[in-house]
Amino acid sequence: MADAEAGRRMMRLETLSEDLMIRLRQACPSQRRIAALAACAYAVEYAQVHDSAVLSVLGELNSARGVAASAIEKVKTLLEQADKQYFDLHDASDSSKDIGCLAAFSRARALSAMLFVVEEESLRSSSEAIYEAVSAVDDASAITLRVVSALV
């Protein structure tokens, strides 16, 4: 039901890449999950998120084990901190291109992508994870390549 509803309304990923959204809609759930995880892992690496809880969650996702609720809570806390840091730096900066501000934004979007990946797989969770991952990086082509490769 959730996938059917998600298939009818426009998703944020569609605003970035209609082609990617079409490919996701055509993919099976396991392909979408692999694609979302690949996008997320790249965003985490790009944003230099080196927290042990984040790396643990990625490892658990890669091995298809369940993710501990305490680890998910830690990622949520890290996301809240990164969002706060981004907004504080953004408010204090004269430029939206401030390096510290951009780094905090990148970390927050990578962490947000992770939280979508740990949700029950659906078209919405996969597309939102990929959207957030793309938002975390300067050049979307690296993520797009990983996602398309996973969807083949």
Side-chain angles (χ1 to χ4, degrees):
M1 177 83 169
D3 273 354
E5 290 174 19
R8 282 184 245 130
R9 63 188 162 114
M10 185 168 190
M11 296 197 205
R12 294 188 304 164
L13 181 60
E14 212 163 0
T15 64
L16 298 179
S17 174
E18 193 173 325
D19 179 59
L20 225 64
M21 199 61 228
I22 290 168
R23 288 174 186 250
L24 272 182
R25 281 191 172 102
Q26 294 171 344
C28 70
S30 62
Q31 287 175 311
R32 289 194 307 246
R33 183 145 181 93
I34 291 167
L37 183 55
C40 178
Y42 182 80
V44 165
E45 179 184 326
Y46 176 90
Q48 298 179 5
V49 181
H50 301 296
D51 187 272
S52 60
V54 171
L55 301 177
S56 173
V57 168
L58 279 177
E60 290 170 1
L61 288 167
N62 277 317
S63 68
R65 293 189 309 253
V67 179
S70 60
I72 294 170
E73 288 305 313
K74 175 67 173 169
V75 174
K76 286 180 182 177
T77 299
L78 291 170
L79 171 58
E80 290 170 6
Q81 291 170 350
D83 271 339
K84 182 181 181 334
Q85 181 184 28
Y86 165 70
F87 288 118
D88 289 348
L89 289 169
H90 185 268
D91 291 345
S93 176
D94 291 338
S95 168
S96 62
K97 305 270 187 211
D98 177 87
I99 292 176
C101 186
L102 292 174
F105 179 82
S106 225
R107 279 191 302 280
R109 301 298 42 92
L111 291 165
S112 179
M114 283 193 73
L115 291 175
F116 281 111
V117 172
V118 299
E119 288 182 8
E120 182 178 330
E121 201 294 312
S122 68
L123 178 60
R124 187 197 72 78
S125 64
S126 295
S127 69
E128 288 296 310
I130 294 167
Y131 177 87
E132 290 289 337
V134 167
S135 298
V137 302
D138 285 337
D139 180 8
S141 63
I143 287 181
T144 301
L145 180 63
R146 284 166 173 76
V147 168
V148 170
S149 294
L151 296 175
V152 177

